[in-house]
Each structure stands twice: as C-alpha cells, then as structure tokens.
Amino acid sequence: MHARSPTPLHDTRLGIGAGILAGSFWGLVFLAPILVPGFTPLQLSAGRYLAYGLVAALLVAPMWRRLLPRLGWREWRQLAWLSLCGNIVYYLFVAQAVQSGGGVMTAIVIGLLPLSVTLVGSRDHGALPLRRLAPALLLGAAGLGCIAWQSLASAQGGGAPLGLACAVGALVSWTIYAVANSRCLARLGGITAHEWSLLTGVMTGAQAVVLAVPAFMLGGDGHAGAEWLRFGGVALAVAILCSVVGNGLWNYASRSLPLALTGQLIVFETVFASLYGFMWEARWPTGLEVAALVLMVGGVVSCASAHRK
C-alpha cells in the first residue's frame, strides 16, 4: 500500500472540481448510442478509442522526446493494463450487459462504482477508517436503492444471467482501473496527470486497432455515407470530450485527492448522465429520481467533509 502526504485545501478543492467536471464530460457517453442508433456497441467502442488514440498521439507528440526516457518496461506494462481494463474491457462489458440484460439492470450495477472504489480505497495506508466513511456510504446506498426501486418496479421481467454477469464484470473492471490508476499516479515521477492520460490514450488506440477488425470488417455494411460521417463525428467528439478532456481531469483529481474521496466523485457521471437524459427526453425527473440524485450528491459532500476534518 502507498501512503499519501496531506493534501493542501486549495489542491483538494481543485481536485474535487476536476472530478465533478470529469463526470460532466463522461455523462455524454450515454448520448452517443442515441445519436447513432444504427451502429453496434462494438463499433462505437472501436470508433471512440481509435479516435482517442489518434488525438492523444497528436497531442503527446511534442512531449515524446522528454517522456520516452521516463517510460520503462514497468510503465508500459501499466499503461497496457490500465487501457485494457479501464477502457476496452469495461466498455465491452457494458455494451454486452445492456444488450443481454437491459439498461435498467446495468445502470443499477454500474451505479455501485462509487461504493466499490471507496471501499477498496479505504484499505490504503493512511486512509480514513470505514466508520468515518459510513455516512457517505449509507447515503450512496440509499440513493441507489431509490433508483433500484423505481427501475425494478417498471422493468418488464428480470435480466438475463449473461447480462448480469457482464454488468458485474464492468463494475469489477472499472474498480480495478480506478484503484490501479490512482496508485500509478501516486508513484510516477516526471510525468503529469495529463501526460499519463494521453499516454493511456495512445495505448488504448493501439489496442482498438485489434477491436476494429471484428467491429467494422465483419459488420460494416448497410450504412450510407452520411451515416458514416455522422458516426465519425460522434466518435471524434466522444473521444475528445470524454476520453481526452474527461480522463485528463480525472487523473488530476486522482493525483490530488485520497482514493476514497476520488471514488465518491464517480457519482457525478451518474448525476450528469441522468440530467442529460432528462433533457433529451424533455421531461422532469420523478420523485424517486430526485431523491436518488440528492442522496448520491449528499454522499459525496459527506465524504468530502470527513476528509476535511
């Protein structure tokens, strides 16, 4: 385990702000399938990460000579693992879970990310004991309970076992990524959080080349030129806003904050994704949805207060 030195209040505030902004960008990911409904999740994943890798490579090119001597075999191995676990595998699990078990079940399971990351982070040396984090965890669990109650009440039957297994796989995959990425950033020297994010993007893009073969060569027919143009625009926008900007902000938050607090900030992806969904559907949230969002944000505030004390 790795200890963290005390974080100045100014850096803590900036870190929390960066985490909230990262959630606001990540929430846009859920609009992409709506904007290009004729394309499969596999194609969306491959397109997004190919674009992410290309943009990241262009941005990191001027820094390459300075960064290369600082990247040993250990760092390349970590980049490969983080890219696979936190991007490729996670998104494929999510896509398969939605297809097999439905979005309702998947959203409920993925919504456990703040709790799972916070619980794992509480085992780090110097982290707050669970009794200090209990109010935050209980508020988050209560918010998820509200969503689960409404979702299950309106669901048409239960999810398939394969869908549930994939949703749990996505939860485990991103929990591992969040914890491993935070610990990598804590021991890196001479590489900023933004540079590490770009290097992760380059590695993810290289892995997406393999993903693109089954995605496009085996399922690329039946789309007009205008549809491909729209798909490319959406993939590029998601790559820049969600992957480059969002991941860069998240890495800044991960380096500035304790892991248990960073885990709570993941909730803002759910919050913003819900707000975007309400605007897209042109409706107000229900009472249970409002209660869930308030409870989840309350959990973040409680966790931040515990760390400030």
Side-chain angles (χ1 to χ4, degrees):
M1 298 298 181
H2 301 272
R4 287 176 179 269
S5 58
T7 304
L9 181 59
H10 176 70
D11 290 345
T12 298
R13 288 173 176 171
L14 287 177
I16 292 173
I20 294 172
L21 282 175
S24 71
F25 284 109
W26 284 346
L28 295 171
V29 170
F30 297 92
L31 291 178
I34 302 175
L35 296 174
V36 283
F39 291 86
T40 67
L42 189 64
Q43 291 171 333
L44 280 169
S45 179
R48 170 189 176 181
Y49 292 130
L50 283 172
Y52 179 26
L54 179 61
V55 173
L58 292 174
L59 292 176
V60 84
M63 321 167 195
W64 191 247
R65 286 188 177 181
R66 180 177 59 83
L67 292 176
L68 191 57
R70 294 175 168 83
L71 296 171
W73 171 245
R74 181 186 186 186
E75 285 72 27
W76 284 115
R77 189 173 66 251
Q78 290 169 340
L79 283 169
W81 168 246
L82 292 172
S83 300
L84 185 65
C85 190
N87 289 326
I88 303 293
V89 172
Y90 168 75
Y91 199 85
L92 287 177
F93 268 136
V94 169
Q96 186 59 57
V98 172
Q99 285 185 341
S100 301
V104 172
M105 178 275 301
T106 305
I108 293 172
V109 176
I110 299 301
L112 293 170
L113 272 170
L115 300 180
S116 64
V117 174
T118 299
L119 285 170
V120 175
S122 68
R123 298 172 60 87
D124 277 5
H125 178 72
L128 291 179
L130 280 177
R131 59 182 175 79
R132 293 274 299 276
L133 298 173
L137 295 172
L138 290 174
L139 285 169
L144 289 170
C146 291
I147 291 179
W149 181 271
Q150 174 166 303
S151 299
L152 294 176
S154 59
Q156 303 296 321
L162 176 60
L164 179 59
C166 288
V168 172
L171 174 66
V172 173
S173 178
W174 216 88
T175 300
I176 293 172
Y177 164 79
V179 174
N181 188 57
S182 179
R183 291 172 180 168
C184 283
L185 287 169
R187 60 175 175 260
L188 278 177
I191 300 176
T192 68
H194 177 60
E195 291 165 349
W196 186 252
S197 175
L198 293 178
L199 289 169
T200 305
V202 172
M203 180 62 72
T204 303
Q207 294 173 349
V209 173
V210 179
L211 187 67
V213 174
F216 297 112
M217 294 187 66
L218 303 180
D221 298 330
H223 296 291
E227 292 176 318
W228 280 111
L229 187 62
R230 183 182 181 90
F231 171 81
V234 170
L236 184 61
V238 170
I240 294 174
L241 296 177
C242 303
S243 295
V244 176
V245 179
N247 290 2
L249 288 166
W250 178 257
N251 278 351
Y252 180 87
S254 295
R255 177 167 269 180
S256 303
L257 303 172
L259 181 55
L261 177 54
T262 309
Q264 286 292 306
L265 293 177
I266 302 173
V267 76
F268 283 100
E269 179 183 10
T270 302
V271 171
F272 280 102
S274 300
L275 293 177
Y276 298 151
F278 298 146
M279 289 188 289
W280 182 267
E281 296 175 8
R283 68 174 179 89
W284 292 99
T286 65
L288 279 175
E289 287 169 338
V290 171
L293 294 176
V294 170
L295 287 167
M296 286 180 170
V297 174
V300 177
V301 174
S302 174
C303 187
S305 177
H307 282 86
R308 187 164 58 250
K309 291 176 183 177

